[in-house]
């Protein structure tokens, strides 16, 4: 009888001990799974944070290029807010709009790389004179420059013969730009500027008519106040540099005319950029808020 009871007691003890061990195992197992999950959650949070930090970093680097990386996550929100608004020229002391006419052509790709190197945005008044380079219009747009219309043909004898001819040519180039950029252009520049007198040879008074008409058609036209003198292939690189820097020095807001179809002129751009940056000028691309510059119409 006593033996029987002892046996029972041992069995009960074994069962209790096993239960205890089992519950300890369960508690241990549950706690490891929970910490594991927590660790995973933390990991993925850290990942997404570092990803957004990376994005902030790229953004503020490209926009300012001067932030200390420890300040980046705080600064970036402020900066992207101010950058997304259109930049008005009045916000700066000395502003330069670099404008390049007649391209795209054989020197345009190098010019785009150069502008990237100095993080400068410009405005291109494009034509379709060099049809092999048409796809560079998309590239100009993609790299943040403004694409505006010069003409399709750049043929004075055709476009200044009649309002209809000019309109037909303008629409043709506007279509090319829209096809390349996905955007309808809104700024134009007349070949020779609005003050050109060559047009008198083809149609009396046409510039007076066209300078009003483009507005009715939904465009704004823009001349310049600093000429590089590169309309002639005789102008040397040094002379282009001289003309542009002297011209810019005289104005609070400069609209510089150069041609990205002129190799000698393009060779002056890097020194012009260096000079402008060293002297505190801000280079801007034209936008809907840019005040247009108009010459005195002379035909
Ligand atoms: Zn031109």
């Amino acid at each position: 009888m006593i033996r029987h009871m002892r046996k029972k007691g041992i069995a009960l003890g074994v069962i209790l001990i096993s239960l205890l061990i089992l519950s300890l195992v369960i508690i241990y197992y549950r706690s490891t799974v929970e910490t594991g999950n927590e660790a995973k959650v933390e990991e993925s949070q850290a990942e997404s944070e570092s990803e957004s930090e990376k994005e902030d970093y790229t953004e503020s680097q490209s926009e300012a290029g001067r932030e200390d990386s420890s300040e980046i996550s705080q600064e970036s929100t402020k900066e992207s807010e101010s950058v997304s608004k259109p930049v008005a020229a009045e916000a700066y002391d000395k502003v330069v709009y670099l404008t390049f006419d007649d391209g795209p052509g054989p020197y345009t790709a190098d010019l785009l790389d150069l502008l990237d190197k100095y993080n400068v945005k410009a405005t291109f008044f494009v034509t379709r004179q060099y049809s092999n380079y048409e796809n560079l219009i998309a590239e100009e747009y993609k790299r943040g420059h403004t694409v505006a219309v010069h003409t399709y043909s750049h043929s004075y004898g055709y476009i200044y013969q009649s309002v209809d001819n000019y309109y037909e040519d303008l629409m043709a180039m506007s279509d090319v730009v829209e096809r390349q950029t996905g955007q309808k252009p809104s700024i134009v520049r007349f070949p020779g500027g609005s003050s050109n007198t060559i047009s008198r040879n083809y149609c009396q008074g046409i510039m007076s008519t066209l300078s009003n008409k483009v507005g009715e058609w939904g465009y704004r036209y823009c001349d310049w106040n600093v000429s590089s003198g590169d309309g002639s292939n005789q102008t040397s690189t040094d002379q282009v540099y001289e003309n542009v820097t002297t011209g810019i020095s005289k104005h609070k807001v400069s609209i510089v005319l150069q041609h990205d179809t002129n190799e000698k002129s393009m060779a002056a751009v890097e020194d012009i950029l260096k000079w402008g940056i060293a002297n505190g000028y801000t280079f801007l691309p034209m936008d809907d808020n840019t005040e247009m510059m108009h010459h005195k119409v002379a035909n």
Side-chain angles (χ1 to χ4, degrees):
M1 183 68 181
I2 294 171
R3 237 162 103 204
H4 187 68
M5 275 177 72
R6 248 164 93 191
K7 258 191 183 171
K8 250 189 166 176
I10 290 165
L12 203 69
V14 168
I15 290 170
L16 278 173
I17 288 167
S18 330
L19 275 173
L20 193 71
I21 291 169
L22 188 69
S23 55
L24 278 173
V25 167
I26 290 171
I27 288 166
Y28 174 76
Y29 176 75
R30 282 186 63 179
S31 73
T32 20
V33 169
E34 266 166 27
T35 2
N37 282 346
E38 266 164 34
K40 262 185 205 159
V41 170
E42 267 167 28
E43 212 176 293
S44 68
Q45 267 173 0
E47 243 169 53
S48 65
E49 263 163 32
S50 75
E51 251 168 44
S52 67
E53 253 170 41
K54 246 185 274 165
E55 272 165 29
D56 288 345
Y57 186 72
T58 333
E59 224 173 89
S60 62
Q61 280 291 305
S62 63
E63 278 162 18
R66 60 189 152 76
E67 295 305 327
D68 180 0
S69 61
S70 61
E71 291 170 5
I72 280 158
S73 44
Q74 288 173 339
E75 288 292 317
S76 60
T77 334
K78 253 191 288 169
E79 271 188 22
S80 50
E81 266 170 24
S82 64
V83 167
S84 63
K85 284 174 202 153
V87 194
E90 299 85 62
Y92 301 97
D93 270 353
K94 305 190 283 185
V95 175
V96 176
Y97 295 95
L98 292 180
T99 70
F100 299 99
D101 287 13
D102 292 10
Y107 314 114
T108 307
D110 284 348
L111 173 62
L112 287 172
D113 289 344
L114 183 65
L115 293 170
D116 278 356
K117 184 176 162 189
Y118 290 88
N119 195 25
V120 163
K121 307 298 177 209
T123 304
F124 289 87
F125 287 90
V126 294
T127 69
R128 206 178 173 280
Q129 294 180 97
Y130 308 89
S131 53
N132 290 343
Y133 297 92
E134 189 190 306
N135 60 337
L136 285 176
I137 293 175
E139 199 59 31
E140 291 167 352
Y141 179 75
K142 222 190 293 171
R143 300 207 199 176
H145 305 290
T146 299
V147 177
V149 172
H150 198 27
T151 52
Y152 187 97
S153 66
H154 207 271
S155 161
Y156 286 64
Y158 178 73
I159 58 168
Y160 292 146
Q161 204 168 68
S162 70
V163 172
D164 285 351
N165 283 11
Y166 178 85
Y167 182 76
E168 186 262 336
D169 182 287
L170 170 64
M171 288 304 113
M173 198 57 209
S174 196
D175 286 350
V176 170
V177 171
E178 203 174 341
R179 202 164 61 227
Q180 289 287 329
T181 67
Q183 302 287 320
K184 207 174 140 46
S186 61
I187 303 173
V188 303
R189 174 173 286 158
F190 297 111
S194 63
S195 57
N196 84 79
T197 50
I198 308 168
S199 55
R200 287 181 191 156
N201 300 331
Y202 310 107
C203 180
Q204 281 295 319
I206 190 157
M207 295 318 299
S208 306
T209 314
L210 289 179
S211 55
N212 288 317
K213 280 280 180 191
V214 287
E216 290 173 25
W217 300 330
Y219 298 86
R220 299 190 302 150
Y221 74 92
C222 195
D223 292 310
W224 57 89
N225 62 351
V226 176
S227 176
S228 62
D230 72 350
S232 155
N233 273 325
Q234 303 305 310
T235 314
S236 69
T237 300
D238 285 350
Q239 193 58 56
V240 166
Y241 173 83
E242 200 55 38
N243 291 344
V244 172
T245 53
T246 312
I248 290 174
S249 307
K250 292 178 187 160
H251 305 283
K252 193 176 177 296
V253 177
S254 293
I255 298 184
V256 179
L257 168 66
Q258 280 188 267
H259 295 84
D260 53 324
T261 48
N262 182 325
E263 191 175 12
K264 286 182 198 164
S265 180
M266 291 304 95
V269 176
E270 181 154 24
D271 283 343
I272 291 169
L273 293 174
K274 281 182 184 166
W275 176 87
I277 292 162
N279 287 281
Y281 289 92
T282 304
F283 292 92
L284 294 177
M286 291 186 172
D287 62 27
D288 289 342
N289 297 302
T290 306
E291 207 174 311
M292 299 284 99
M293 210 162 271
H294 291 169
H295 293 164
K296 199 173 186 309
V297 174
N299 174 28

